[in-house]
Amino acid sequence: MKRRNTQLGALDPSDAELLAQAYRQVIPIKGHARVTHENAPEMVRPSAQAQRRRANALAQPHEPARLSDADPVSFEDVTELYQSNGTSSQALRRLRREGASVRECLDLHGLTRDQARVVLKQFIERAASQGVRCVRVIHGQGYGSSGGASVLRYLTRHWLTQLPQVNGFVTPNAAQGGKGAVLVLLRLTQSSNERAR
């Protein structure tokens, strides 16, 4: 009983007494065998051949992840503005204001979904590696699509949010393409930074 009282010292005396009464009714299980665990086996060092295979697998360049297509509820729910972490709102406002000065342009009219995905990715990667800061992508408004839904408008903007080279994008004013285009602000890559020096 003395041992229990030392363990129950943190409780106030009335709670300790109630708990001690409850313990008096407990009957220990007899013959209960305890389980003893063996020490974990030492890690086996992989063979030299396994180490070479692993090194070769890590050294081979992997195909970058494909751009996923969203599963939209409606193609009308289009992202008009995107801003990645670290991109200021001021930079996007400047991009929209100076949209006429954008020199690099990609037109996706007439391309299928799969063709547009590949061409857009290559265009953005090439432009970013060459140090281009702003590009215009023309995707159209969907007047030629079945049902009038602008599939490429929706998908283009969805794909742009997945590319690491993209800092943000905005819908330009009507004179620079309006809802049929998007102005993209690119992140400078290491190779383009080195070229600029």
Side-chain angles (χ1 to χ4, degrees), residues 103-131:
R103 304 235 187 276
E104 296 287 321
C105 185
L106 172 67
D107 191 346
L108 299 176
H109 278 103
L111 299 180
T112 65
R113 173 188 302 219
D114 292 331
Q115 292 169 335
R117 180 189 302 113
V118 171
V119 170
L120 176 69
K121 185 175 181 202
Q122 290 172 348
F123 174 73
I124 295 295
E125 288 173 346
R126 181 186 54 78
S129 69
Q130 292 176 351

Side-chain angles (χ1 to χ4, degrees), residues 91-164:
L92 293 180
R93 283 193 301 271
R94 190 175 338 117
L95 173 65
R96 184 171 185 162
R97 195 174 49 247
E98 299 169 4
S101 64
V102 173
R103 304 235 187 276
E104 296 287 321
C105 185
L106 172 67
D107 191 346
L108 299 176
H109 278 103
L111 299 180
T112 65
R113 173 188 302 219
D114 292 331
Q115 292 169 335
R117 180 189 302 113
V118 171
V119 170
L120 176 69
K121 185 175 181 202
Q122 290 172 348
F123 174 73
I124 295 295
E125 288 173 346
R126 181 186 54 78
S129 69
Q130 292 176 351
V132 176
R133 288 290 289 159
C134 308
V135 296
R136 177 182 293 113
V137 178
I138 301 170
H139 45 65
Q141 294 187 21
Y143 295 135
S145 297
S146 61
S150 182
V151 176
L152 278 183
R153 179 174 182 235
Y154 177 85
L155 290 174
T156 299
R157 292 157 188 259
H158 180 71
W159 293 330
L160 287 170
T161 62
Q162 299 174 51
L163 291 170

Side-chain angles (χ1 to χ4, degrees), residues 57-85:
L58 292 174
Q60 293 176 355
H62 295 287
E63 178 68 24
R66 284 189 49 158
L67 298 177
S68 73
D69 291 346
D71 189 16
V73 174
S74 164
F75 286 113
E76 301 305 317
D77 187 24
V78 176
T79 305
E80 298 293 334
L81 175 125
Y82 168 73
Q83 181 177 352
S84 69
N85 288 338

Side-chain angles (χ1 to χ4, degrees), residues 28 35 41 47 67 78 84 87 89 100 134 144 155 164-165 168-169:
V35 176
S47 67
L67 298 177
V78 176
S84 69
T87 303
S89 300
C134 308
L155 290 174
Q165 298 89 350
F169 61 76

